[in-house]
Amino acid sequence: MFEYAPAPESRSVVDIAASYGLFINGAFEAAASGGAFKTVNPASEEVLAEVAEAGTEDVDRAVAAARRAFGPWSELPGAERAKYLFRIARIIQERSRELAVLESLDNGKPIKESRDVDLPLVAAYFFYYAGWADKLKYAGFGPEPRPLGVAAQVIPWNFPLLMLAWKIAPALAAGNTVVLKPAETTPLSALFFADICRQAELPPGVVNIITGAGETGRTLVEHPDVNKVAFTGSTEVGRQIARSVAGTGKRLTLELGGKAANIVFADAPIDQAVEGIVNGIFFNQGHVCCAGSRLLVQESAYDEVLSSLKRRMATLRVGDPLDKNTDVGAINSAAQLSRIRDLSEVGSSEGAERWSPPCELPAQGFWFAPTIFTGVTQAHRIAREEIFGPVLSVLTFRTPDEAIEKANNTPYGLSAGVWTEKGSLILAMADKLRAGVVWANTFNKFDPTSPFGGYKESGYGREGGRHGLEAYLA
Ligand code: NAD
């Protein structure tokens, strides 16, 4: 591999304040308790900012602001709501360079992903749902669909701004108001978005952003004056939320974990499939709920696929997220790094064979080399549990039926991939795979018009597309 010269994106394009308050009723304010926590750059462990920690009183204020704003917002003609959403989408486009740098700093993802994947999709979701705001009557949910009220939305750290867009855009288009809590390790882009709401002159209280950890999230989803809860995160927390919401009359959607099978048949274009395998598990450091973390390779193509995959992995550049040549950035937090390390140790101790390309990791920050495990069986924990990192478990199969059986042998059901040149096989597989999304000869492709969501322990409800409106309408 030839060397690339460093190509760092400028960090100075974005201003980060030393501290941030809670965005309630259109203004930033300190937490009632005065509590705060720090958010760090996972690539360097440098503190980026101090962020307010919302307690019960703050959650009350945010929900009350959303409740007051709900009447006037929901009564606006859809075309008027659309104008605000179009305005937000355009400002996101205008400020996308700042946002991409901020996202990479706070999350650790490579700038080429935040710049070329996250930000264009964030704007696209706002544009898409802006287009629905005046057409709700024709969305197929009855002649006069009504908004639900105040939506409590809790999101994870892997796609901070994209998850915000998936939550806020459909909620607002449908006439709801929101209180959103970003994850504690990645609050900054949501706070930047709060400023975009001000810039767009969105009426105060329509969007409220409160920061904090799990306890803040719990207080928010359990608030009695919330009508709808939308959660993306781990299956464990999803279960707790489902229990707490049961019987309250609140509507609930859960987007949880996954352990997707990426299935490669021997007749697949192997080079293309290898690109898809790499994209499936190393995109965003594998911090992807729909990551193709279980590779199922047809036995007759195993040697060819594995040698191509290893050759390709040796060209992945791991390092500074702000360098435009970087393919794999930093692991988002020390806690996540230790989970990835622990499960990888389990993989070795259960007898799977571990391999990583030679790869020098920075001394400071949270890093994990792209890793594959071969000789994995279905009973191994690394074949069953979500690792949420750049770790691929490789299994084999002989027949399509065996591939289906292995792919579906998981408590999850979020996504799957099929690689073959036979269209009929793709359709037959897609029909039998118990996964919300099945990609054929591609992987990790997202589009605002396409619904996304899971089966079984991957959650319920759909986000995106016309289906995504249903979760916010009565
Ligand atoms: P997490 O469940 O620990 O945290 C997610 C969010 O919930 C955070 O904002 C956190 O502060 C909050 N939270 C924690 N405890 C809470 C509680 N008791 N009540 C309310 N909120 C609470 O998950 P994570 O580690 O941040 O994210 C990784 C997980 O998210 C993975 O399992 C991944 O698969 C999943 N995920 C799913 C999707 C999807 O669309 N299905 C997308 C991204 C991530």
Side-chain angles (χ1 to χ4, degrees):
M1 184 169 70
F2 59 91
E3 287 306 316
Y4 277 49
E9 169 59 290
S10 168
R11 194 202 146 128
S12 59
V13 299
V14 63
D15 290 325
I16 303 179
S19 65
Y20 289 88
L22 308 167
F23 185 68
I24 296 177
N25 205 32
F28 283 98
E29 44 183 85
S33 69
F37 60 98
K38 294 182 170 61
T39 182
V40 304
N41 176 350
S44 63
E45 299 175 59
E46 161 211 6
V47 173
L48 293 170
E50 196 169 82
V51 178
E53 177 159 27
T56 311
E57 262 181 65
D58 307 304
V59 172
D60 280 347
R61 277 205 320 287
V63 172
R67 175 63 57 200
R68 281 194 306 276
F70 173 63
W73 178 251
S74 59
E75 282 155 24
L76 273 186
E80 291 303 311
R81 284 201 306 275
K83 286 183 192 169
Y84 287 103
L85 289 168
F86 279 123
R87 204 181 287 166
I88 288 171
R90 283 194 300 267
I91 299 172
I92 288 169
Q93 286 186 319
E94 283 161 19
R95 304 188 71 180
S96 69
R97 189 166 170 213
E98 288 167 80
L99 279 163
V101 170
L102 186 63
E103 196 79 318
S104 282
L105 283 171
D106 205 16
N107 168 281
K109 63 175 71 201
I111 187 73
K112 73 173 179 194
E113 291 178 6
S114 49
R115 181 195 62 195
D116 299 344
V117 182
D118 296 44
L119 262 297
L121 278 172
V122 169
Y125 274 83
F126 276 99
F127 276 120
Y128 174 74
Y129 279 110
W132 269 117
D134 62 349
K135 303 173 194 70
L136 299 174
K137 288 181 186 175
Y138 315 106
F141 307 120
E144 289 296 335
R146 284 172 296 107
L148 302 174
V150 175
Q153 306 181 319
V154 177
I155 56 173
W157 44 261
N158 56 342
F159 291 93
L161 202 56
L162 185 59
M163 292 299 104
L164 173 151
W166 285 23
K167 296 275 177 289
I168 292 186
L172 262 47
N176 303 272
T177 56
V178 309
V179 180
L180 176 129
K181 191 199 84 64
E184 53 272 38
T185 58
T186 54
L188 295 183
S189 54
L191 295 165
F192 192 106
F193 177 82
D195 198 47
I196 289 179
C197 292
R198 286 207 300 208
Q199 203 183 336
E201 294 174 11
L202 190 71
V206 172
V207 168
N208 304 274
I209 310 275
I210 57 168
T211 42
E215 190 51 28
T216 306
R218 196 181 58 74
T219 311
L220 174 60
V221 302
E222 290 181 3
H223 197 287
D225 200 29
V226 154
N227 306 96
K228 151 86 191 169
V229 173
F231 173 76
T232 297
S234 60
T235 297
E236 188 191 333
V237 174
R239 265 198 207 102
Q240 288 172 31
I241 293 178
R243 271 197 294 272
S244 76
V245 163
T248 62
K250 292 175 192 169
R251 290 264 297 268
L252 175 65
T253 38
L254 296 173
E255 300 280 355
L256 310 175
K259 191 75 190 177
N262 202 359
I263 305 167
V264 180
F265 284 95
D267 69 346
I270 299 297
D271 287 346
Q272 235 171 289
V274 166
E275 286 308 308
I277 296 165
V278 166
N279 173 276
I281 188 63
F282 302 124
F283 170 65
N284 204 37
Q285 296 72 246
H287 301 328
V288 183
C289 49
C290 50
S293 52
R294 283 185 299 152
L295 173 63
L296 303 190
V297 189
Q298 197 159 25
E299 240 174 53
S300 54
Y302 179 81
D303 291 340
E304 188 186 353
V305 170
L306 259 285
S307 62
S308 301
L309 177 60
K310 288 181 174 176
R311 219 174 23 246
R312 178 67 179 90
M313 282 173 67
T315 69
L316 291 174
R317 288 158 211 283
V318 183
D320 181 7
L322 283 195
D323 192 311
K324 293 168 197 160
N325 294 322
T326 293
D327 298 305
V328 180
I331 300 302
N332 179 251
S333 64
Q336 187 59 26
L337 179 59
S338 95
R339 177 172 164 77
I340 297 169
R341 283 186 177 146
D342 289 352
L343 271 167
S344 299
E345 289 306 315
V346 169
S348 299
S349 68
E350 286 184 333
E353 192 177 326
R354 179 175 179 165
W355 184 87
S356 291
C359 155
E360 206 175 308
L361 300 177
Q364 197 72 18
F366 314 129
W367 303 94
F368 198 88
T371 298
I372 55 176
F373 278 98
T374 50
V376 177
T377 72
Q378 296 189 81
H380 285 160
R381 275 181 66 194
I382 54 168
R384 290 185 287 120
E385 293 181 28
E386 189 181 39
I387 301 175
F388 223 56
V391 182
L392 179 67
S393 300
V394 185
L395 296 92
T396 58
F397 68 92
R398 290 184 180 170
T399 63
D401 282 347
E402 189 186 346
I404 294 281
E405 207 176 291
K406 287 186 168 166
N408 287 342
N409 183 9
T410 166
Y412 295 111
L414 197 53
S415 65
V418 180
W419 298 81
T420 167
E421 66 168 16
K422 285 197 196 70
S424 56
L425 184 55
I426 290 171
L427 294 176
M429 295 291 290
D431 204 35
K432 293 181 192 141
L433 285 165
R434 296 279 296 158
V437 180
V438 180
W439 285 293
N441 293 330
T442 186
F443 209 90
N444 274 343
K445 281 271 182 286
F446 301 97
D447 189 290
T449 62
S450 173
F452 182 89
Y455 283 99
K456 302 190 281 186
E457 290 190 13
S458 291
Y460 42 79
R462 293 292 179 265
E463 290 187 319
R466 184 185 66 80
H467 303 70
L469 288 167
E470 190 176 11
Y472 291 96
L473 290 170

